[in-house]
Amino acid sequence: IPLAPSVEVLRRLQQRARNFVLEQLTSPEAVEWLAQYLHQADAGILKRLARMTEAPTDQFCWCLYGAAGRLESLPPGIQRSVVILPDDSQRPAMIAWYRRMQQALLECGYAPRESHFGDEYSVATISDWKQRYRDLVRMPLDNPIYHARPLFDLRPVLGESVLWRELESSVREGVRANPVFVRLLANDCLNNLPPLAFFRDAGIEESGERSDTL
């Protein structure tokens, strides 16, 4: 992957990685290491694309969030991501580059994935990100905390991780200062359960009813 000469080659390598996972996904015990394997492959493709598309600056941190941030992204969907910048000087150029990267990921065979955050929101300065998290933690009832929940699974994969560590430290301090936040977040999650889940050999409807067929 680090030596791939083109997007087309990266596309074949991405598909090859997914095909390998399908072959090896033979037991629940295999899920964890296969997810870690795919994370390494996806991160490698992302890094190679970043070199191919030439970011306007190297002063940034590209982070994955949601399932990708938890190392749980098995399907070939575009992994949700945000960019942390040290200041505003390169933000317009980085937004344009972020869009080019999203298009390149599509060309690599990743499927589009819905996000609650647009490109301009996803690329912001460290001070903006700190303020956003402070607002979410301090005033969870006034903010769409359930939709923002995946942002708390932020994982750095590209660029200067020191920006991510600075943000992580700020978020930890905010959560410690407002311990009720975690309880409110848990309440929101329990009130927004998926309509169908699988448990052992049965499908569980939202009502709690079990069925052996889907």
Side-chain angles (χ1 to χ4, degrees):
I1 290 173
L3 302 176
S6 67
V7 171
E8 178 56 33
V9 172
L10 285 175
R11 178 186 179 91
R12 292 200 299 267
L13 291 171
Q14 187 274 125
Q15 292 171 341
R16 187 190 218 171
R18 254 70 194 189
N19 289 337
F20 171 77
V21 167
L22 287 176
E23 293 172 359
Q24 301 299 320
L25 198 57
T26 57
S27 67
E29 291 75 18
V31 172
E32 184 175 356
W33 76 264
L34 288 173
Q36 292 175 356
Y37 162 78
L38 278 180
H39 172 74
Q40 294 296 327
D42 290 336
I45 290 173
L46 185 69
K47 292 174 182 177
R48 184 59 180 151
L49 286 175
R51 287 194 291 271
M52 288 179 174
T53 57
E54 298 183 4
T57 176
D58 57 0
Q59 303 294 307
F60 71 93
C61 182
W62 185 294
C63 300
L64 302 177
Y65 68 91
R70 299 189 303 271
L71 303 187
E72 296 175 358
S73 185
L74 292 178
I78 292 183
Q79 301 184 350
R80 293 169 179 156
S81 57
V82 300
V83 175
I84 307 172
L85 301 174
D87 55 59
D88 258 332
S89 61
Q90 294 290 333
R91 186 168 178 265
M94 286 298 290
I95 291 173
W97 177 71
Y98 179 87
R99 288 170 176 157
R100 292 199 303 273
M101 285 287 287
Q102 297 297 307
Q103 180 59 39
L105 288 167
L106 286 173
E107 294 171 5
C108 282
Y110 293 96
R113 178 169 288 168
E114 181 183 356
S115 174
H116 293 285
F117 313 110
D119 296 341
E120 294 191 4
Y121 182 94
S122 298
V123 180
T125 65
I126 180 68
S127 59
D128 286 340
W129 281 115
K130 285 181 179 179
Q131 186 59 51
R132 290 170 181 177
Y133 277 100
R134 277 196 292 265
D135 291 342
L136 288 171
V137 172
R138 290 176 182 173
M139 300 176 291
L141 296 179
D142 298 328
N143 289 282
I145 186 61
Y146 179 75
H147 294 309
R149 172 183 49 84
L151 288 174
F152 288 87
D153 292 314
L154 210 62
R155 178 182 297 270
V157 293
L158 178 63
E160 297 189 346
S161 60
V162 64
L163 291 168
W164 171 83
R165 287 196 295 271
E166 182 180 342
L167 179 59
E168 182 197 34
S169 177
S170 174
V171 173
R172 285 184 182 277
E173 290 176 7
V175 172
R176 281 196 294 267
N178 185 19
V180 73
F181 166 75
V182 175
R183 295 195 290 273
L184 289 172
L185 182 59
N187 181 72
D188 274 7
C189 292
L190 290 173
N191 286 333
N192 289 274
L193 293 173
L196 177 71
F198 295 99
F199 178 70
R200 294 180 180 171
D201 58 351
I204 312 298
E205 297 290 348
E206 187 175 15
S207 63
E209 182 181 354
R210 294 192 179 197
S211 173
D212 59 359
T213 59
L214 176 60

